[in-house]
Amino acid sequence: MRAALAGYAGEPALAVLRRWDTSPRGLDENEAQDRLLRFGEGADGSARDGGTRRPVRAAAAPFVVVLICLGLVSALVGDARGTVLICCLAVLSGALRFRQEARSDRAAAALRTMATTTATVLRRAAPGADPVPREVPAEQVVPGDIVLLGPGDVVPADLRLLSSSGLTVDQSALTGESLPAGKHATWAEGPLPAPPAGGPEPDVFGHPRLCLTGTTVVAGTGTAVAVATGTATYVGATGDLPARPPETAFDRGVRAVSWGLVAAMLTALPLVLAAGGALRGDWSRALPTAVAVAVAVTPEMLPLVATALLVRGAAGLSRRQVIVKRLPAVHNLGAMDTLCVDKTGTLTERHLRPACHLDPDGGADPGVLRWARLNALWSVELSGSPDGDAVDEALLRDAGDLAGFEGADVIPFDFTRRRATVLLRPDDPRPRSRAAHVLVTKGAVEDVLDVCVRVRTRDGEVALDAAERARLLAMGDRWAADGVRLLAVATARRAAPARSLSPADERDLTLVGFVGFRDRPDPAAAAAVRALARRGVDLIMITGDHPEVARRVCRDAGLPVSRVVLGRDLAGLDDAELARLAGPATVFARVAPAQKARVVRALRRAGRTVGYLGDGVNDAPALRAADVGVTVAGAAGPARAAADVILARGGLGALEQAVVAGRRTFANTVKYIKIALTSNVGNVASILAAAATLPFPAMPPLQVLVRNVCFDLSQLALVHDRVDESQILRPRTFDHLDLARFVACVGPVGALFDLAVFGLLWRVPAAHGPGGQQLVHTGWFVANLTAQGLAMLLLRSRGRGAPRAAWPVLAAAAAPALCGLLLPFSPLAATLDLRPLPLAALPPLAVVVTGYLAATIGVRALYQRLFGRWL
């Protein structure tokens, strides 16, 4: 694929257009539709992953693999029925996981349509018609389309540039390079040199004529022809999808729990086998006991239940106008303990208000405002729509008549120079003088002063020396302390250029004044900041704005500030020092997009679960680096593409609701894991004890497996359960120490209960006659499922004062007991080696179940007293 792209880059533009039977005028609509049918829609990776990788992932789930292995062991010991049922359940578990993930992907795809990435292409209504720019979904771009690129655009296909102006592209999603790459179509023509045999493939990322799928335009404009789409792109062909964090908090937690349980099972299996064979010398009996232990410790439905909980959480958030693009983000929202926020669009509204227009002496000067508006007007006209440029929007709002000049050329704003420059020529029909052009630059005060040599004061122009520079910077600081951000405006006379403008032309300018803007505070921001603080979420502001402006915005939002760290100071800090600096009262100001992402990564390496809320092009790297990236519906395209969650309505207030919903989802996930493991560990202990005391084998693996599945399926109802308020007060994620402590304290209750069942049933006369083994096993099966239903109700909450169980949970708690009572009378009884219970066996079982109920309530109260918490 690299060689093919390098070939396109090395060919003349006309040859590339001919190869795809297109022209600079673009395709006509009929031809575009034909090519869409021929080449298929472009893909973002989700469909491809679902079609090829999802079945493999479902079959390779840890517990499915365990079931397959247990089925093989059952086959070796000659248990044909057990082998068939275990393998059937393995297939069922994998199929349910596959179906649930397929439903999740379809739901996520439906949600993603609310924030579809689009591209601008030149299309013609008919072969002879004039081309018209059209905005189409990115996946409908076809080879041969002429694509128009502008700031904020996500590159929709692999493109070969035809023309460009100041184009820079962020390729960090593919290469990891933080600095944007310059792209231009006027690179020297001619083929690229062929790499040596066996040498490295051509560097398609660094080639200035190529823009690859998934990268984003930072600045400038370009026109390009699409040469590959969908799975034919470099990303699609190699599977190198845009980089995501290697593991989020949810991924780490589920992986640790799953493989921890698999490790426990693999450890217990040989130990039980060896102990059983050594104690009784009967290896044929020890092997089924070992298999039963392995089955008992395995929560086969953990992936399914976890996925179902996430799906329900995502669906609930969608009803609150919160779009979840990636399911693990539901948990990560609840686990988030640190939220990094940009300033504009989060603590403030997206709309700026012009606050002042000043000459360099500090007096009002309407002429400065006019120059700034001309710069804004022609920056927009010549470079395309700058997605999310609030400054230009504010300047052009109620701008009035700006006649008198035409735009001749532009150097768009970028985050390195932090200024935008236009070249204006007089709007005069008479022959134009070569000296009549005016260069107008606006941008951050210090960056504009860097290219100025003079200052226009009331007394005339003066040289910009160190003292004058310090005075002007101090003026900017004074206004910033009051929440007004100043942009400097500078001009220079220029002859009509013989070539396109470049940053080298930004020199020898004269400062003419400043325009000031005030961010309009979000009325709901202060209340949302307080609500998030109550939920245990630390807020850290990371902005490219002036430090004093950032401090003022924080003060207005009720966000305390203890220190301000500037972007220029980050280079000398390692990640550990950076994480120590990034406390809840820290503001990072004047930071570049790559530095925002670096702060986020440093916090994650320090063990925090980090969210990032931003809506600009410069926020995309940080959104991608966070455990959960959050943006708003009106955000720039790259921000929407990089985010995990999109707030369709509202800002921080809606995010606080999403955090609560994430914690509710996780609370129910923890309920399932703790209840299931407590039950399984108790069963393991009772199987071992029974194997050592009973004159016949302990519970058959088949019965243990059916019991597990009945109980786990009933626990799917926990997705509908109510949650105690104490479980959503603080950030939560998987706590392995708490999990082990809970199982160690509560698990023995179930083990003692099982042993009591065996003891009481052994006293029933029928247990010593023919079919006594079946009687004991059936009694345990019925009593155990009944107790598990009770455990589901007792362990789901702290008891007194907790919210009542939802009705689906109540119904699901009764289901295991009903299954236990009915299965001995069903056609499956013989397969499961069950028999109907005699009436004499029911009173002992009722006594034991009552005792289990009382013991569990007592242990729950003791656990809360010792550790101050429950689930």
Side-chain angles (χ1 to χ4, degrees):
M1 189 61 213
R2 290 194 184 201
L5 286 172
Y8 288 122
E11 289 183 0
L14 185 58
V16 176
L17 293 171
R18 284 175 177 168
R19 182 186 293 197
W20 285 106
D21 193 20
T22 186
S23 75
R25 293 166 53 81
L27 301 172
D28 64 77
E29 289 292 352
N30 288 335
E31 176 63 21
Q33 291 304 313
D34 289 343
R35 295 190 184 195
L36 189 62
L37 293 174
R38 192 189 332 163
F39 295 102
E41 292 195 348
D44 62 0
S46 58
R48 182 175 65 256
D49 179 70
T52 59
R53 297 182 184 177
R54 195 189 302 126
V56 176
R57 190 170 60 243
F63 301 127
V64 174
V65 173
V66 168
L67 289 175
I68 294 172
C69 293
L70 294 177
L72 294 175
V73 173
S74 295
L76 291 176
V77 300
D79 184 1
R81 292 178 301 175
T83 300
V84 171
L85 188 55
I86 289 176
C87 290
C88 286
L89 288 171
V91 172
L92 176 63
S93 179
L96 287 173
R97 177 182 170 90
F98 175 85
R99 180 175 179 271
Q100 191 66 65
E101 290 195 353
R103 290 179 59 190
S104 302
D105 287 348
R106 287 196 298 270
L111 292 172
R112 280 197 296 269
T113 61
M114 299 175 63
T116 300
T117 302
T118 60
T120 303
V121 296
L122 282 181
R123 293 273 177 88
R124 293 173 290 158
D130 291 332
V132 177
R134 275 200 56 199
E135 191 171 355
V136 299
E139 62 269 17
Q140 293 185 15
V141 173
V142 297
D145 257 328
I146 303 301
V147 181
L148 306 181
L149 298 174
D153 288 345
V154 178
V155 177
D158 287 350
L159 306 179
R160 199 281 195 189
L161 284 175
L162 303 176
S163 63
S164 62
S165 175
L167 185 65
T168 56
V169 175
D170 177 8
Q171 300 184 133
S172 60
L174 299 181
T175 66
E177 292 289 338
S178 58
L179 293 178
K183 301 289 182 179
H184 49 91
T186 55
W187 196 69
E189 295 285 356
L192 294 178
E201 293 184 333
D203 178 18
V204 297
F205 304 110
H207 198 288
R209 287 206 203 116
L210 296 176
C211 298
L212 301 189
T213 303
T215 58
T216 56
V217 178
V218 175
T221 59
T223 302
V225 58
V227 296
T229 60
T231 55
T233 62
Y234 176 81
V235 169
T238 62
D240 293 337
L241 298 179
R244 295 293 308 164
E247 279 188 324
T248 66
F250 178 82
D251 300 325
R252 292 191 300 270
V254 169
R255 177 182 56 81
V257 170
S258 299
W259 289 109
L261 292 172
V262 170
M265 183 273 296
L266 293 176
T267 302
L269 193 63
L271 291 177
V272 173
L273 185 63
L279 285 174
R280 293 182 176 269
D282 185 357
W283 292 96
S284 63
R285 175 178 166 184
L287 189 56
T289 301
V291 173
V293 168
V295 172
V297 82
T298 304
E300 298 84 0
M301 298 299 173
L302 173 59
L304 176 65
V305 174
T307 303
L309 285 160
L310 293 177
V311 169
R312 179 168 174 81
L317 287 173
S318 69
R319 290 192 292 271
R320 295 180 173 89
Q321 301 294 304
V322 178
I323 305 167
V324 178
K325 293 170 58 182
R326 301 176 183 96
L327 283 180
V330 177
H331 162 267
N332 295 335
L333 280 169
M336 179 177 67
D337 54 36
T338 303
L339 176 63
C340 300
V341 298
D342 188 24
K343 175 177 63 64
T344 305
T346 55
L347 298 179
T348 65
E349 296 181 346
R350 288 182 56 82
H351 301 294
L352 295 175
R353 292 180 298 171
C356 60
H357 39 273
L358 311 170
D359 62 27
D361 294 317
D365 185 350
V368 174
L369 180 59
R370 177 174 172 78
W371 285 123
R373 284 174 165 168
L374 283 166
N375 176 285
L377 173 65
W378 292 107
S379 291
V380 172
E381 293 290 336
L382 296 175
S383 65
S385 176
D387 195 359
D389 192 339
V391 170
D392 287 344
E393 287 179 8
L395 283 169
L396 295 177
R397 195 179 303 122
D398 303 323
D401 184 14
L402 294 177
F405 288 95
E406 292 179 350
D409 206 349
V410 63
I411 310 174
F413 177 87
D414 66 57
F415 297 105
T416 303
R417 294 164 38 254
R418 294 197 304 165
R419 55 183 179 258
T421 296
V422 297
L423 184 66
L424 306 177
R425 60 179 175 232
D427 184 10
D428 189 338
R430 293 172 297 176
R432 301 182 178 107
S433 166
R434 288 179 57 83
H437 291 64
V438 180
L439 195 74
V440 183
T441 297
K442 79 171 189 306
V445 174
E446 52 267 46
D447 293 278
V448 172
L449 290 180
D450 286 343
V451 294
C452 289
V453 294
R454 291 174 296 277
V455 179
R456 183 176 301 164
T457 68
R458 296 170 188 171
D459 300 324
E461 294 186 1
V462 300
L464 178 60
D465 54 20
E468 185 67 8
R469 179 184 176 89
R471 181 185 72 83
L472 295 169
L473 291 175
M475 175 192 278
D477 291 341
R478 287 195 301 272
W479 281 92
D482 193 40
V484 176
R485 173 175 47 166
L486 291 187
L487 295 183
V489 181
T491 63
R493 294 284 176 179
R494 291 284 193 267
R499 56 172 176 77
S500 297
L501 284 179
S502 72
D505 295 308
E506 296 174 322
R507 56 182 174 78
D508 300 332
L509 305 184
T510 299
L511 181 74
V512 296
F514 306 94
V515 288
F517 303 88
R518 189 184 298 276
D519 287 289
R520 184 182 301 167
D522 185 344
V529 166
R530 291 192 298 270
L532 287 168
R534 286 195 302 270
R535 299 288 180 187
V537 180
D538 295 332
L539 265 69
I540 298 174
M541 178 183 283
I542 309 178
T543 180
D545 212 336
H546 193 288
E548 293 302 323
V549 173
R551 190 188 294 269
R552 175 58 183 261
V553 169
C554 287
R555 185 165 67 245
D556 291 343
L559 190 62
V561 178
S562 62
R563 69 168 67 91
V564 177
V565 181
L566 299 181
R568 63 170 179 263
D569 301 326
L570 298 183
L573 302 175
D574 60 28
D575 284 349
E577 293 172 323
L578 181 54
R580 284 194 296 271
L581 271 181
T586 300
V587 168
F588 291 89
R590 291 296 194 210
V591 293
Q595 291 176 319
K596 293 184 177 185
R598 188 190 165 208
V599 172
V600 170
R601 286 192 294 267
L603 289 168
R604 293 186 68 219
R605 291 191 187 105
R608 304 191 200 181
T609 303
V610 183
Y612 187 90
L613 175 60
D615 64 350
V617 175
N618 60 334
D619 293 312
L623 288 164
R624 193 178 297 114
D627 283 290
V628 54
V630 185
T631 191
V632 295
R640 295 196 305 272
D644 304 292
V645 176
I646 298 176
L647 305 178
R649 188 177 300 166
L652 281 178
L655 181 59
E656 191 263 341
Q657 296 175 11
V659 167
V660 171
R663 292 182 186 176
R664 291 185 189 279
T665 297
F666 181 70
N668 284 332
T669 304
V670 170
K671 286 179 188 178
Y672 164 73
I673 292 175
K674 287 189 172 182
I675 294 172
L677 291 187
T678 299
S679 168
N680 291 2
V681 168
N683 287 336
V684 168
S686 58
I687 290 173
L688 294 176
T693 57
L694 293 177
F696 46 80
M699 291 84 73
L702 197 57
Q703 291 181 7
V704 177
L705 184 58
V706 171
R707 184 213 68 89
N708 280 5
V709 172
C710 289
F711 183 47
D712 285 348
L713 288 177
S714 71
Q715 287 196 91
L716 283 170
L718 287 174
V719 302
H720 302 283
D721 199 17
R722 301 183 180 96
V723 174
D724 196 325
E725 183 65 24
S726 64
Q727 296 174 329
I728 59 176
L729 287 177
R730 312 299 298 174
R732 298 186 64 195
T733 189
F734 294 93
D735 185 342
H736 305 109
L737 176 61
D738 175 65
L739 180 61
R741 183 175 62 198
F742 185 93
V743 172
C745 292
V746 183
V749 177
L752 292 174
F753 159 76
D754 284 340
L755 292 177
V757 170
F758 291 136
L760 290 175
L761 287 175
W762 193 243
R763 294 180 178 275
V764 175
H768 299 278
Q773 177 178 327
Q774 277 188 317
L775 173 65
V776 174
H777 287 165
T778 303
W780 169 84
F781 187 81
V782 173
N784 191 275
L785 280 174
T786 303
Q788 297 309 324
L790 288 173
M792 187 171 167
L793 295 177
L794 294 173
L795 301 182
R796 58 164 287 276
S797 71
R798 57 188 168 86
R800 183 176 300 175
R804 292 181 296 104
W807 72 263
V809 177
L810 293 172
L818 191 61
C819 286
L821 291 170
L822 295 180
L823 278 175
F825 298 94
S826 73
L828 294 175
T831 302
L832 298 177
D833 199 24
L834 299 174
R835 56 169 285 188
L837 290 175
L839 291 177
L842 297 181
L845 293 182
V847 170
V848 175
V849 170
T850 303
Y852 173 77
L853 177 65
T856 302
I857 293 174
V859 169
R860 184 178 65 184
L862 179 62
Y863 188 93
Q864 292 181 75
R865 183 176 301 174
L866 290 176
F867 301 108
R869 57 178 294 185
W870 185 234
L871 291 177

